């Protein structure tokens, strides 16, 4: 297993997910319902998304090396631009996250399935799914990338559920977004270099 792929996937996915809508949804669900039940649903949805992204990335890895690296570089650059642009829109819009009302005393199954459904729908085609597919294609080690991405997503989900509001007081959201975008630009540069140099 490629340790660099695992650590890179963890770091990039963690940073990309922190300012994401699913982290905010996890935070809101965690304040309204039992955190461990919410995390069960969130973790299962994230794991499913990683499996789909790694499968897509494995298909991308069938493309010859130079065109693949050029494609990965373009997708990382696109991801950095989308992250910076979407953060600007979210700052300008004051919108409350809507959390489904599950009744007076919902049980584990209801809370976990609601959290699973909210995250499953919100994450389809999300930036972290694209980044995970890119990393799987780049490193050719779907297991390492899958584990790293899953752990990164779970870490963000856990932080959001347990202490998201406190974290944002210490580390401003705009700084998290810029660090994640910079990491994607660096990965794009490395991929572009490999595409040119061979």
């Amino acid at each position: 297993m490629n340790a660099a792929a695992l650590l890179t996937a963890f770091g990039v996915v963690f940073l990309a997910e922190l300012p994401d809508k699913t982290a905010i949804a996890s935070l809101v669900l965690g304040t309204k319902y039992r955190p461990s039940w919410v995390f069960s649903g969130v973790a299962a949805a994230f794991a499913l998304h990683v499996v789909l992204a790694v499968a897509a990335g494995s298909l991308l890895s069938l493309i010859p090396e130079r065109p693949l690296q050029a494609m990965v570089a373009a997708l990382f650059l696109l991801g950095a631009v989308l992250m910076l642009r979407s953060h600007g829109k979210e700052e300008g819009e004051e919108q409350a996250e809507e959390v489904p009302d599950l009744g007076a005393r919902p049980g584990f199954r209801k809370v976990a399935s609601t959290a699973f459904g909210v995250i499953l729908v919100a994450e389809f085609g999300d930036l972290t799914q694209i980044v995970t597919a890119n990393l799987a294609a780049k490193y050719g080690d779907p297991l390492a990338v899958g584990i790293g991405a899953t752990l990164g997503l779970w870490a963000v989900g856990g932080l959001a559920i347990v202490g998201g509001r406190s974290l944002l007081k210490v580390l401003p959201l705009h700084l998290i977004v810029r660090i994640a975008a910079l990491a994607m630009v660096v990965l794009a540069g490395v991929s572009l270099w490999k595409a040119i140099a061979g």
Side-chain angles (χ1 to χ4, degrees), residues 42-100:
V42 167
F46 278 145
L48 178 58
H49 276 289
V50 168
V51 168
L52 296 173
V54 166
S58 296
L59 291 176
L60 284 175
S61 68
L62 300 174
I63 298 170
E65 184 66 22
R66 281 187 171 184
L68 173 64
Q69 291 298 335
M71 186 184 303
V72 167
L75 288 171
F76 274 130
L77 282 176
L78 177 65
V81 169
L82 289 174
M83 174 165 277
L84 291 170
R85 289 183 73 203
S86 69
H87 178 64
K89 286 180 190 171
E90 287 168 8
E91 277 184 340
E93 299 171 359
E94 295 283 330
Q95 60 182 26
E97 284 292 323
E98 288 186 29
V99 175

Side-chain angles (χ1 to χ4, degrees), residues 31-181:
T31 59
K32 192 165 183 177
Y33 305 110
R34 186 178 289 184
S36 61
W37 294 359
V38 172
F39 184 76
S40 297
V42 167
F46 278 145
L48 178 58
H49 276 289
V50 168
V51 168
L52 296 173
V54 166
S58 296
L59 291 176
L60 284 175
S61 68
L62 300 174
I63 298 170
E65 184 66 22
R66 281 187 171 184
L68 173 64
Q69 291 298 335
M71 186 184 303
V72 167
L75 288 171
F76 274 130
L77 282 176
L78 177 65
V81 169
L82 289 174
M83 174 165 277
L84 291 170
R85 289 183 73 203
S86 69
H87 178 64
K89 286 180 190 171
E90 287 168 8
E91 277 184 340
E93 299 171 359
E94 295 283 330
Q95 60 182 26
E97 284 292 323
E98 288 186 29
V99 175
D101 187 7
L102 303 180
R105 289 199 172 266
F108 168 78
R109 197 168 10 148
K110 201 168 194 180
V111 170
S113 63
T114 299
F116 177 85
V118 167
I119 300 304
L120 188 70
V121 170
E123 276 294 298
F124 264 112
D126 194 59
L127 180 61
T128 52
Q129 203 171 27
I130 294 166
V131 167
T132 302
N134 280 348
L135 290 170
K138 177 179 175 53
Y139 285 106
D141 190 344
L143 182 61
V145 170
I147 291 171
T150 301
L151 292 175
L153 291 168
W154 286 357
V156 171
L159 279 173
I161 291 166
V162 174
R165 291 188 177 127
S166 301
L167 176 67
L168 290 177
K169 288 178 185 174
V170 176
L171 198 59
L173 188 59
H174 67 88
L175 182 60
I176 295 168
V177 168
R178 288 182 182 144
I179 291 170

